[in-house]
Amino acid sequence: FFQAEDGIRDIGVTGVQTCALPIYLPLQWVNNDTIRFVQQDAFGPWEILAINRKAGIVSRTQIYPAQEESGEILGVAPDFSKVLIRLYEGNSDGLYTILLPSLKRLEIGRISHDISLQPPSWSADGKRLALVVSAATENHRYDRSPTNPSLADPAIQDALGRLAPDHNPLAQQNKVQVFDFSQTPIQQFELNPSHDNGDSLGAAHLSQNGQHLLVKRLHPAQLDRKST
């Protein structure tokens, strides 16, 4: 902890804590002295931590299934009312929300193993959630190495702008999903990119009240062909 006015470390802190906090998970100030956040250990359960900067007291609430499961935390609502997780299950992965403090788990969708998800965007009250879905290979579309020089790879062909949208597996899997938890059952709608110009959806952000969705569109690469 540091003082905002002069950048000097707060000498009132009586203890030092080492935490594994992913940068995309929110950190909440409960009051001027206490912060709260979620962390995930690589080999252990998920935890909600609260740290009082003056007393040096730490509260840990562990969340873990009764049976052995593997997965990852995708995000937590800004009001800490629910946690979004991805569980690696059989032939597909499950998307679940864990309601707090009841610990009720709700399945909101299933995705294949080759799907990549960006960190979710939430409304301030945690009642709406937006997810950008894309092919896992999309994250490596610009990767090249001596052991992977194949120009026939869909990711390379996509980066070169040589795949028509209707034949592009990356474009077919790209979409934005929005979930409305205020409705029973949970309402869901999807936003798909226009395949006319080959655009893809690169990011999505919900407004604080959850009424508006800001989407970032990415234009495909175009080769500049010059005669020699």
Side-chain angles (χ1 to χ4, degrees), residues 26-214:
L27 182 149
Q28 181 190 55
W29 284 92
V30 179
N31 52 46
N32 288 334
D33 296 327
T34 306
I35 59 173
R36 180 171 60 172
F37 58 91
V38 173
Q39 72 172 2
Q40 177 181 2
D41 186 273
F43 304 101
W46 307 300
E47 293 183 325
I48 299 178
L49 273 74
I51 301 177
N52 185 291
R53 69 186 182 92
K54 289 188 175 181
I57 295 176
V58 179
S59 170
R60 295 176 180 265
T61 302
Q62 293 186 337
I63 304 173
Y64 56 91
Q67 298 180 356
E68 183 177 353
E69 293 178 331
S70 61
E72 60 180 317
I73 292 179
L74 297 177
V76 57
D79 63 347
F80 281 73
S81 61
K82 56 182 67 69
V83 177
L84 177 66
I85 63 173
R86 176 179 185 171
L87 294 184
Y88 310 136
E89 302 174 327
N91 296 325
S92 62
D93 297 343
L95 296 180
Y96 299 90
T97 56
I98 299 177
L99 306 184
L100 302 174
S102 69
L103 299 182
K104 182 178 181 180
R105 186 164 75 176
L106 301 176
E107 181 178 320
I108 63 173
R110 303 203 67 82
I111 57 176
S112 61
H113 301 313
D114 60 348
I115 290 296
S116 175
L117 299 173
Q118 292 188 17
S121 175
W122 302 80
S123 61
D125 57 9
K127 292 183 178 180
R128 288 191 177 180
L129 161 71
L131 279 174
V132 178
V133 179
S134 59
T137 54
E138 183 176 356
N139 297 329
H140 308 287
R141 65 171 66 189
Y142 302 112
D143 292 352
R144 294 296 303 279
S145 70
T147 59
N148 183 29
S150 177
L151 291 176
D153 188 277
I156 302 298
Q157 289 294 304
D158 176 66
L160 294 174
R162 291 178 175 175
L163 284 179
D166 292 339
H167 298 86
N168 188 338
L170 304 184
Q172 298 299 322
Q173 294 176 317
N174 182 223
K175 59 186 174 182
V176 174
Q177 293 181 311
V178 178
F179 300 88
D180 186 353
F181 299 104
S182 66
Q183 304 294 323
T184 303
I186 299 173
Q187 298 296 306
Q188 175 185 354
F189 75 86
E190 294 183 356
L191 178 65
N192 296 288
S194 172
H195 290 171
D196 296 336
N197 52 15
D199 286 357
S200 61
L201 303 175
H205 298 279
L206 278 171
S207 61
Q208 290 290 298
N209 60 9
Q211 300 298 314
H212 304 281
L213 180 67
L214 177 65

Side-chain angles (χ1 to χ4, degrees), residues 1-16 29 32-35 52-56:
F1 295 92
F2 295 87
Q3 298 290 345
E5 295 84 357
D6 50 24
I8 298 177
R9 182 175 175 178
D10 191 344
I11 59 175
V13 179
T14 59
V16 178
W29 284 92
N32 288 334
D33 296 327
T34 306
I35 59 173
N52 185 291
R53 69 186 182 92
K54 289 188 175 181

